[in-house]
Amino acid sequence: MIRRRLKNIAAVTVLAILCSACGKQEAEKITGYGDNGTTAAVAASEENDPEKTSQETKVTEGGRTGALPAAQLSGDPIWEGNTTLDGIPVEISITQLMRDTDMMHVFRLNSVTEDRIKEKETVQNIFGDTAKEVKRTLSAEGGDSLRLIWDAGGYITQHAGDYSYEYSEKSTTESWVDNSEYFWHTYEGTYLDTDYQLGIGYSRESAEKFISLYPKNPGDVIGDPTCDRAEQVWFSVDGLNSIYWNGVFLKEVFKDRPNRTQSSEDDLCRMVMKFSKDMLYCDMSRDDLRSITGQDVGSPQTNEILFYVSKEEDNKEFPGAVLDGYIVDWDMFHSGEYKGIFGNSAYFGVTDKGVISLTMIASYEVTEELTDNAEVLKFDAVMESLSKEITENFEKSHINGQKLKINMATLIYYPVPNDEDPTECTLVPAWDFKVSSNGVIGEIILNALDGSHLSILYLD
């Protein structure tokens, strides 16, 4: 299935949060989706000793232990070997400690198919009987949420192959599009006793859903309709390097106007998880939520929501402006360790009232954690599989130089499709080997559980 991400829309989200007018088994509670991948640099060596192999020992990394080749902190290789590909020498020389392989996870994932979106149910959950379809041109002058206009406009134009959509206060867009490639539907109704608009999109090409929820007028959420704008602003906890906006250090201006939201970071995240599950049919792990509220000593900044009066934004005292709420960021499968998986991400605006805004992009649902303690194949056996993979499957036509070198190995997660169900895959630990010949020319990906072939990717 071809997948195309709508990156520009997500980028706009971090600039302005608010603007004016599934599977075969029940989902289980997931407490983590694997650790951050650690790259093992693999240096090319002019000395090849096929007889030199690693000793297996117990090494400790991050407080956990796992069976790995001995660490050669002096820079000596922990694994060396060579082979040939139709007479062309292949050199492998791994010199750095690799990621711990203990506590490796295996997950069952489902693509977000159209029937799993539950559009009608989601609209009913949020708006109830007040829900109405919106089928007209959206504009801020017409009283529509500018933030939703941006989400909808960017989504629709990008699906049409146009990436030049103008995000401005004069932006307009269609509210209802439905064709063979995608759909975007806009609704409005009452949420949190306030007039809101909801956009739901789905790409039939990439099996990806998009949800946007924003108030028509941001100030109505905080009980002050004169505040017709809201922005995401960052403050450092110690007051240094705070946001410099329109010639003003906002931390100094708001030193006597603290954030009205008093909920703790954990409470904010619980609100997001409950909303997502109850309203959007989306289970989230606390490990995938990043909320920086300044409650913890280690949090360097606060990610806050500033409500203000647009006609006063040039006034350095910001009369009438209010800090109320924080941003909770959902980020799943976006790190480099999840190769071949397009991530799920969202930005939630949250106050003591609950979730007040969101933009979400999602491609997968985790339907089951099969294990959190997968047994990874010993590295010597993996390297034997690598040698076999090179000689049997790597295409000689891609070689640019006199030899091949394995110059990087990374422990990742990789999706294995279900042959019987194209919407389902199993996410397994895998080794990703970079192959060089006068520069990187490709990657060999092997299943870390059994050393079997998963994929060979060529850069050309």
Side-chain angles (χ1 to χ4, degrees):
M1 181 176 294
I2 300 174
R3 296 188 178 277
R4 176 180 60 192
R5 295 310 308 276
L6 304 177
K7 298 179 180 179
N8 291 351
I9 298 177
V12 173
T13 302
V14 301
L15 299 178
I17 295 302
L18 301 167
C19 289
S20 65
C22 68
K24 296 180 180 179
Q25 300 188 32
E26 292 297 320
E28 298 179 5
K29 181 180 180 181
I30 309 298
T31 59
Y33 300 98
D35 305 307
N36 289 332
T38 302
T39 297
V42 183
S45 171
E46 296 302 323
E47 297 179 0
N48 290 292
D49 183 1
E51 301 299 320
K52 186 174 183 180
T53 58
S54 64
Q55 294 180 344
E56 187 168 294
T57 185
K58 284 283 184 177
V59 297
T60 301
E61 180 182 5
R64 297 183 288 113
T65 60
L68 291 173
Q72 302 291 330
L73 300 181
S74 64
D76 295 333
I78 60 175
W79 200 96
E80 281 190 314
N82 60 11
T83 185
T84 60
L85 174 59
D86 291 341
I88 298 174
V90 180
E91 300 179 357
I92 305 171
S93 182
I94 300 176
T95 60
Q96 292 188 13
L97 176 66
M98 292 167 297
R99 170 185 167 181
D100 186 0
T101 57
D102 195 19
M103 295 295 292
M104 298 301 297
H105 300 257
V106 178
F107 299 102
R108 178 172 289 126
L109 307 181
N110 279 109
S111 297
V112 180
T113 55
E114 195 164 345
D115 62 304
R116 292 192 178 107
I117 296 177
K118 296 185 178 180
E119 178 181 2
K120 293 181 179 179
E121 293 87 343
T122 298
V123 174
Q124 180 66 28
N125 292 340
I126 295 174
F127 289 150
D129 295 337
T130 68
K132 297 180 181 178
E133 296 179 354
V134 179
K135 296 183 178 181
R136 53 178 167 77
T137 299
L138 300 177
S139 68
E141 291 184 354
D144 299 308
S145 164
L146 185 55
R147 183 52 238 251
L148 184 131
I149 292 172
W150 287 353
D151 278 354
Y155 187 88
I156 292 170
T157 56
Q158 287 186 37
H159 271 89
D162 180 2
Y163 292 85
S164 61
Y165 183 76
E166 181 180 353
Y167 298 92
S168 72
E169 293 187 4
K170 296 182 179 180
S171 298
T172 62
T173 187
E174 299 175 73
S175 63
W176 199 278
V177 178
D178 202 334
N179 57 42
S180 60
E181 294 183 357
Y182 74 97
F183 72 73
W184 177 276
H185 298 159
T186 304
Y187 301 86
E188 59 187 19
T190 302
Y191 170 67
L192 296 178
D193 298 320
T194 303
D195 291 334
Y196 266 76
Q197 290 182 314
L198 168 68
I200 299 179
Y202 180 74
S203 172
R204 298 184 173 103
E205 179 187 25
S206 61
E208 182 179 71
K209 71 177 178 181
F210 193 110
I211 298 178
S212 176
L213 176 67
Y214 291 92
K216 287 187 173 182
N217 179 38
D220 291 343
V221 176
I222 62 172
D224 186 354
T226 63
C227 290
D228 57 343
R229 295 287 186 274
E231 299 282 349
Q232 171 184 347
V233 294
W234 290 86
F235 292 136
S236 61
V237 174
D238 58 10
L240 300 176
N241 302 317
S242 58
I243 191 73
Y244 188 72
W245 196 14
N246 290 350
V248 180
F249 282 105
L250 295 186
K251 193 71 173 182
E252 179 66 23
V253 174
F254 288 92
K255 64 182 180 180
D256 297 323
R257 284 182 274 175
N259 200 303
R260 291 180 178 179
T261 293
Q262 299 298 306
S263 298
S264 68
E265 181 169 347
D266 284 339
D267 285 341
L268 294 174
C269 290
R270 278 192 286 269
M271 292 178 195
V272 168
M273 289 188 291
K274 179 174 174 54
F275 177 92
S276 297
K277 182 176 182 178
D278 295 347
M279 301 291 192
L280 309 179
Y281 304 98
C282 179
D283 284 317
M284 293 184 175
S285 164
R286 175 64 176 88
D287 293 340
D288 294 325
L289 295 177
R290 296 181 297 178
S291 171
I292 305 176
T293 64
Q295 302 295 325
D296 299 326
V297 175
S299 299
Q301 292 181 312
T302 58
N303 190 356
E304 308 184 29
I305 303 175
L306 173 66
F307 294 82
Y308 65 98
V309 182
S310 60
K311 66 180 181 180
E312 298 286 357
E313 64 180 319
D314 293 329
N315 187 322
K316 295 186 177 181
E317 297 300 320
F318 279 85
V322 173
L323 288 171
D324 196 347
Y326 296 88
I327 303 302
V328 174
D329 176 17
W330 179 49
D331 195 357
M332 177 182 173
F333 301 142
H334 274 270
S335 69
E337 68 177 301
Y338 297 105
K339 197 171 189 71
I341 291 287
F342 289 110
N344 299 342
S345 65
Y347 298 90
F348 294 85
V350 195
T351 70
D352 290 332
K353 291 182 177 181
V355 173
I356 64 168
S357 66
L358 77 93
T359 294
M360 172 188 285
I361 301 175
S363 302
Y364 290 95
E365 297 172 343
V366 175
T367 57
E368 185 182 7
E369 182 179 27
L370 300 178
T371 181
D372 64 359
N373 192 24
E375 183 176 350
V376 177
L377 192 66
K378 294 180 180 180
F379 196 69
D380 281 347
V382 173
M383 300 310 286
E384 291 179 6
S385 295
L386 175 63
S387 296
K388 182 178 179 181
E389 184 77 2
I390 292 172
T391 57
E392 294 184 359
N393 296 321
F394 199 87
E395 295 180 8
K396 183 180 177 180
S397 60
H398 296 276
I399 300 175
N400 301 320
Q402 300 300 314
K403 66 177 69 174
L404 283 181
K405 296 180 181 181
I406 304 299
N407 61 3
M408 185 176 292
T410 308
L411 191 57
I412 62 172
Y413 284 92
Y414 196 82
V416 180
N418 184 334
D419 292 335
E420 297 180 358
D421 183 353
T423 70
E424 182 180 274
C425 67
T426 303
L427 196 61
V428 302
W431 284 106
D432 182 4
F433 296 94
K434 296 293 189 298
V435 183
S436 296
S437 178
N438 286 339
V440 177
I441 61 171
E443 302 174 41
I444 296 174
I445 301 175
L446 301 180
N447 192 322
L449 304 180
D450 59 14
S452 61
H453 166 88
L454 289 179
S455 181
I456 297 181
L457 308 174
Y458 300 99
L459 294 187
D460 55 1

